[in-house]
Amino acid sequence: MVSSSMTSNGASLSIVFDRLRWEEKELLEKALRLGYNARLVDAKDLVFSTSGIGKGTRAGSAIDGMNLGDVVIQRCISHYRGLYITACLESLAIPTINGYGVAETCGNKLLCSLALARHNVPTPSTYFIFSAEKAIEMANNLGYPIVFKPIVGSWGRLVIPVKDREMMESIVEMREEMPNPLSKIYYLQEYVRRPPRDIRAIVVGDRVITAVYRYAAEGEWKTNIARGGKAEPCKITKELEDICLRAAEAVGGGVLGIDIMEDEARGLLVHEVNNTVEFRGAASVSSVDIAHEIVSYAMRVVRA
Amino acid sequence: MAKVRCLECDRELNVPSDAIEGEIVTCPDCGANYEVARSNGRIELRPAESVGEDWGE
């Protein structure tokens, strides 16, 4: 099922989604306004097969009769659905933003932390542990509070500031009962002493196009806008720009949301890089037309 | 404005005729979420997926 709007004979672009949010509608509107043939494509209706792969042509023109155009902006809210659709698209030689490698790295906090560390991007000290016993032992050795995060997930869900040994043991006990094998990979991160806010910067290609402070909602420790946090403009300093571009490069580049904490002693620390960046909160306070920038970047990728 | 009925509680729901496929409609009575779909030009509702463990940015 495709929602389509054709306005010109220029380059064509598909926005693949599985939950239509403000951002996807905004991207469509800006793409149409820029004169591109743009459409929304529901990921739940897509079917791929091996038959179009390896033919040496851009086979995107014929996937189950659906033309996905010159470039795809991947906007699935489900990480795994988006990731594997991107794998299919890339095998069909359809340029996809972001690429599979970027999505895989950013969608997994363990892989993302490793990539940042490999590129010497300042991050909070983070530990990866592979058994329940060792996770408890490690948390006790590091001391409390310490932050536990699931390695896949978003919007701050199940991210827990662990206050003491008893709480840590309860978390581990619960994780061990969960059927998902990823529940048994333990990701512990130092509790950073920061103001009650973090910074969300949006990188598009080789530029930091905007940045906002995200303040935690009242009674909340997490700053996610999805949890009721509010945004305020943030000046893009040379230091901020530098760390954002290094973080973007570390994960493979593209359209990315870089989350940064301001540590009282060490300055800026990148704690997360988001692959399918939500930008409604940032757009509400930014003077930059974020969707316009993303669509323009997608078209530059096609022409490169 | 198209009139459709909530599949859960049967309340009448008004969906703008220019609604985009995939837009979410929530029943104010029972809270059920639906995606707007079209079939032969007619607006229909299909149950929306609930939040998954891997949802987000």
Side-chain angles (χ1 to χ4, degrees), chain A residues 61-111:
Chain A
S61 57
I63 299 168
D64 200 26
M66 187 182 290
N67 187 338
L68 291 173
D70 299 307
V71 62
V72 167
I73 298 179
Q74 172 62 260
R75 293 290 310 175
C76 282
I77 202 166
S78 160
H79 165 63
Y80 288 113
R81 180 183 277 143
L83 181 69
Y84 295 124
I85 287 176
T86 298
C88 294
L89 292 168
E90 289 190 343
S91 289
L92 290 160
I94 301 174
T96 305
I97 296 164
N98 290 317
Y100 177 87
V102 179
E104 185 180 45
T105 300
C106 295
N108 181 307
K109 291 185 176 64
L110 184 152
L111 298 179

Side-chain angles (χ1 to χ4, degrees), chain A residues 232-291:
Chain A
E232 283 185 7
C234 170
K235 188 172 184 291
I236 303 171
T237 62
K238 184 76 186 73
E239 182 193 12
L240 180 62
E241 181 183 38
D242 179 59
I243 197 171
C244 287
L245 294 179
R246 286 170 57 201
E249 187 183 357
V251 300
V255 175
L256 299 159
I258 318 283
D259 292 346
I260 298 158
M261 290 189 276
E262 302 155 283
D263 179 75
E264 288 167 2
R266 292 166 292 176
L268 302 180
L269 300 174
V270 175
H271 60 101
E272 201 164 304
V273 183
N274 298 281
N275 171 57
T276 315
V277 59
E278 292 173 340
F279 53 87
R280 190 176 188 176
S284 68
V285 296
S286 174
S287 58
V288 175
D289 189 336
I290 298 167

Side-chain angles (χ1 to χ4, degrees), chain B residues 1-15:
Chain B
M1 196 74 78
K3 293 187 186 305
V4 287
R5 303 205 81 87
C6 175
L7 305 176
E8 202 68 50
C9 72
D10 204 39
R11 178 193 160 123
E12 188 174 86
L13 303 172
N14 293 315
V15 180

